[in-house]
Amino acid sequence: MSDEIKKGLAGVVVDYTAISKVNPETNSLLYRGYPVQDLAANLPFEAVALLLWTGDLPTEDELKQFQEFERAHRALDPNVKQAIDLLPTDCHPMDVGRTAVSVLGANHPKAEDSSPEAELEKAKALFAAFPAVVAYDQRRRRGQDVVEPNADLDYSANFLWMTFGEEQPEEVVDAFRVSMVLYAEHSFNASTFTARVITSTLSDLHSAVTGAIGALKGPLHGGANEAVMHTFDEIGIRKEESREDAAGRAKAWMEDALAQKKKIMGFGHRVYKNGDSRVPTMKAALDRMIAHYGRDEMLGLYDGLEAAMGEAKDIKPNLDYPAGPTYHLMGFDTEMFTPIFIASRITGWTAHIMEQRASNALIRPLSEYNGPDQRELPNG
Ligand code: SDX
C-alpha cells in the first residue's frame, strides 16, 4: 500500500471550517469561537443553533423570532406520520429518522432551492420538526397515543413533553438541554463529512441530512450511545445494589471483554486522545440525574467500566459514554438514543451544508489500484 494512503482519512486536513474548532492538544471545543462548556452552561439550545447557522449569538429579538418559528413548526405533517406508521415498530428508529427526513424534504416547497435563505429556512424547519419524529416513534412502539406539541414550552421541555406525555422537572429538562448543546457540532466527523460530500455534488439539503443519518447510525459513531446502554444491560442494572458492588461487577465485565479483544462502545476517539472535551460537562449532568432519580448503582457501573478501561488501555470515555445512561434515566428507550443525537446534530450538519455550498468543490479523492493487471477474456 502506498504510504500516500491515509486509511480512514486519519489526520488528513481536507478543508477549512469556521463552524467549530476541535483541539486535542488543549482538549477543547469551540463553536464559532465560544467554548462549548460556556454555551452549555448559559444558553438555550435554540440560541446555540442560531450561533452555528449564522456565526454569531442571536440578539434577544432574533432569538424570540426563532423560538416563535420553532414553536409554530413542531407538529408532524400528516404524511410523515403515515410514512412512519408504514414502518415496522421493530425496525431501528434510525431508519424511521432517515425516512422522516426524506418525507420532510419531499414536502418542503423550497426543497430544490439552494439559496442561503432557503437553506436556513429548511434547517430551521427540520430542527423544529424532528423532536416530534423521535417522540412519535417511541410512543408508537409502546402503544401510546401521540402527544401534540406544547407551544408554552421551549424546545427541550417540549421534546420531553411529547415523548413522555407530561412536563418534566426543570432539572431533567436542563440536563437534556446540556446534552443537545454538546451533541450539536464536532467539525468533520463521519456523518458531517458525509453531508458535505453529498452537498459537494450540489444535491439538496435533505438528501445530505438523510445520508448523514445513515453514517451516524453506525456504532463506531453516533450509534455508540445506544451501545453503551447495551453494555450496562449486559452487566445488569440492579437498582438497590451499592455503588461499590456495581463497580466491582463492571470492572470484571470490562476485564473479560478486553481479554476477548472487544471494542468497548463509548470509549476512545479518532481526534481526542486524552479524553473528549465534552465529557466533564455531560458527566456532571449525568451525576445530577443520578442524584435526582436516586440511582447510585449507575454511578458504580459507570466508574467501574471507566477505571478498568483506564487501567488496561488508558483509553478515555467519549461523549456517548455519559450521554447513554443519562437518556436511560430520563426514560428514553435505548434504541431512541441515537435519534436524539440526530435532533441535535441537525444543527451542525446543516451549518456545514451551508458552509460547503458557500465555498464548494466536488469532493472526489483518489484511490490506489491494487487489483489484477490488465488481462484478456478467456475466449480471446
Ligand atoms: C462519536 O469524530 C467525531 O467527532 C465523532 C463524535 C462526534 O461528536 O461527531 O465525537 C461522536 O462518534 C464518538 C465515538 C463513538 N464511538 C465509539 O464509542 C465506538 C468505540 N470507539 C472505537 O471504535 C474507536 O475509539 C473510534 C472508532 C472512536 C476511534 O478509533 P480510531 O481512531 O480509528 O482508532 P482505532 O480504532 O484504530 O484504535 C486504536 C487502538 C486499537 O488498538 P490496536 O488494535 O491497535 O491494539 O486503540 C484501541 C484499538 O483496538 N481502541 C479500543 C477502543 N478504541 C480504540 N479498544 C477497545 N475499545 C475501544 N473503544
Side-chain angles (χ1 to χ4, degrees):
M1 183 187 285
S2 154
D3 58 8
E4 281 306 300
I5 289 175
K6 306 286 184 199
K7 201 143 181 73
L9 293 181
V12 175
V13 180
V14 294
D15 206 343
Y16 292 101
T17 182
I19 301 169
S20 69
K21 178 176 182 147
V22 179
N23 189 333
E25 281 69 50
T26 56
N27 197 354
S28 62
L29 171 60
L30 305 177
Y31 289 177
R32 302 285 191 180
Y34 294 100
V36 72
Q37 291 80 1
D38 296 352
L39 300 171
N42 295 289
L43 293 183
F45 185 43
E46 299 91 316
V48 174
L50 286 172
L51 170 67
L52 290 170
W53 287 324
T54 69
D56 289 308
L57 291 173
T59 62
E60 248 181 69
D61 190 45
E62 287 165 341
L63 178 58
K64 185 169 175 296
Q65 275 183 27
F66 176 48
Q67 286 176 320
E68 285 166 4
F69 172 91
E70 189 267 325
R71 293 175 192 223
H73 292 80
R74 289 170 170 171
L76 284 187
D77 297 344
N79 66 344
V80 175
K81 283 183 187 165
Q82 287 156 5
I84 294 173
D85 288 341
L86 288 172
L87 301 178
T89 51
D90 61 356
C91 78
H92 198 288
M94 289 297 279
D95 302 352
V96 173
R98 199 181 60 214
T99 304
V101 168
S102 289
V103 178
L104 286 165
N107 287 353
H108 203 287
K110 297 182 179 174
E112 305 308 321
D113 178 348
S114 61
S115 66
E117 299 72 25
E119 296 286 86
L120 182 55
E121 187 183 320
K122 289 182 281 187
K124 289 178 176 177
L126 258 185
F127 175 91
F130 200 79
V133 172
V134 178
Y136 185 72
D137 193 28
Q138 170 158 309
R139 293 186 69 85
R140 77 181 186 117
R141 292 168 188 267
R142 292 184 175 189
Q144 296 171 325
D145 293 336
V146 63
V147 171
E148 293 305 327
N150 180 340
D152 296 333
L153 302 176
D154 76 3
Y155 173 94
S156 299
N158 175 65
F159 199 139
L160 299 173
W161 157 262
M162 292 191 295
T163 304
F164 301 110
E166 54 188 14
E167 286 191 50
Q168 298 300 301
E170 170 51 37
E171 192 173 21
V172 175
V173 174
D174 190 62
F176 185 77
R177 176 193 61 79
V178 167
S179 78
M180 300 307 273
V181 171
L182 295 175
Y183 262 136
E185 158 61 15
H186 212 241
S187 80
F188 280 22
N189 59 83
S191 55
T192 297
F193 191 64
T194 300
R196 291 189 75 125
V197 170
I198 294 170
T199 304
S200 81
T201 73
L202 301 187
S203 186
D204 68 290
L205 178 139
H206 289 86
S207 294
V209 173
T210 303
I213 292 172
L216 190 74
K217 179 179 178 182
L220 291 190
H221 187 19
N225 61 10
E226 171 188 339
V228 167
M229 211 58 226
H230 292 321
T231 295
F232 277 53
D233 288 337
E234 196 178 315
I235 297 167
I237 299 171
R238 299 172 188 167
K239 282 190 179 175
E240 303 317 317
E241 185 176 36
S242 74
R243 189 174 154 183
E244 293 69 27
D245 290 350
R249 290 193 303 115
K251 283 184 78 151
W253 183 93
M254 179 65 90
E255 285 154 5
D256 180 56
L258 292 175
Q260 297 177 52
K261 300 282 182 210
K262 282 184 180 174
K263 258 217 200 314
I264 314 300
M265 301 300 136
F267 287 89
H269 199 277
R270 170 60 62 77
V271 180
Y272 294 119
K273 292 306 180 189
N274 296 308
D276 183 326
S277 67
R278 302 162 292 183
V279 166
T281 306
M282 192 66 235
K283 176 57 170 42
L286 171 59
D287 288 343
R288 292 195 296 274
M289 290 302 95
I290 285 170
H292 178 82
Y293 292 103
R295 298 291 302 277
D296 246 15
E297 90 286 354
M298 291 292 281
L299 199 49
L301 295 175
Y302 184 99
D303 289 345
L305 287 171
E306 182 181 12
M309 175 62 108
E311 282 155 29
K313 302 191 86 162
D314 192 23
I315 294 176
K316 306 275 193 315
N318 56 56
L319 175 58
D320 293 309
Y321 187 54
T326 302
Y327 293 144
H328 171 77
L329 290 172
M330 289 177 179
F332 286 101
D333 294 342
T334 299
E335 65 272 9
M336 305 312 296
F337 293 4
T338 314
I340 298 170
F341 196 158
I342 295 176
S344 171
R345 191 54 61 92
I346 275 172
T347 55
W349 288 335
T350 49
H352 280 272
I353 288 165
M354 289 186 265
E355 183 177 70
Q356 178 72 34
R357 216 181 282 284
S359 162
N360 189 41
L362 176 69
I363 297 174
R364 199 280 187 214
L366 294 176
S367 57
E368 172 107 349
Y369 177 72
N370 63 359
D373 291 336
Q374 185 168 340
R375 52 186 169 165
E376 298 302 321
L377 287 170
N379 304 331

